[in-house]
Amino acid sequence: QVQLVESGGGLVQAGGSLRLSCAASGRTSSINAMGWFRQAPGQERELVAAINSGGSTNYADSVKGRFTISRDNAKNTMYLQMNSLQPEDTAVYYCAARSGGYPSATPRNYNTWGQGAQVTVSS
């Protein structure tokens, strides 16, 4: 079993920055790709960014150039640096992990999820 715990969410003004962290524990040797997804009220869960153990990444077009995903495999931790935040970035952000190697954009391809972290951007 793998457990994921997000931290770093909060309230920020438009144009500001936040960094999310996702710490993995348990059977971490089974993890290959990890990702950040977000879900706003009334909307489907969508990819923000994903990364595999080799460092290959996959970003949503809406965050390219503003957000950066990274991971420290030695610490079993993944990060999301979010800059130039906008009100439309407001959502619950979820960390996810899968045993497959492709940094998939499809939520159903991930079998382990964190509890979510609220990110609110005020205008």
Side-chain angles (χ1 to χ4, degrees):
Q1 289 277 20
V2 173
Q3 295 80 40
L4 302 174
V5 177
E6 300 100 335
S7 60
L11 172 65
V12 65
Q13 289 188 331
S17 299
L18 283 174
R19 189 175 85 150
L20 300 179
S21 299
C22 172
S25 61
R27 195 165 169 258
T28 57
S29 61
S30 66
I31 297 173
N32 193 329
M34 299 181 73
W36 290 100
F37 291 78
R38 66 187 181 187
Q39 188 166 18
Q43 297 190 18
E44 293 186 353
R45 194 168 296 189
E46 63 176 8
L47 173 77
V48 177
I51 186 170
N52 67 12
S53 59
S56 295
T57 58
N58 185 9
Y59 286 93
D61 288 342
S62 59
V63 306
K64 285 180 181 176
R66 299 189 299 125
F67 292 9
T68 302
I69 190 171
S70 62
R71 64 191 282 180
D72 185 332
N73 292 327
K75 294 182 178 180
N76 295 313
T77 302
M78 177 178 65
Y79 306 96
L80 184 68
Q81 177 66 43
M82 302 184 291
N83 298 329
S84 301
L85 282 160
Q86 300 300 316
E88 52 267 33
D89 295 315
T90 295
V92 177
Y93 283 67
Y94 295 92
C95 168
R98 64 189 298 249
S99 57
Y102 183 70
S104 175
T106 306
R108 67 173 180 271
N109 287 340
Y110 292 79
N111 50 20
T112 303
W113 292 84
Q115 81 286 356
Q118 178 69 48
V119 171
T120 303
V121 185
S122 62
S123 58

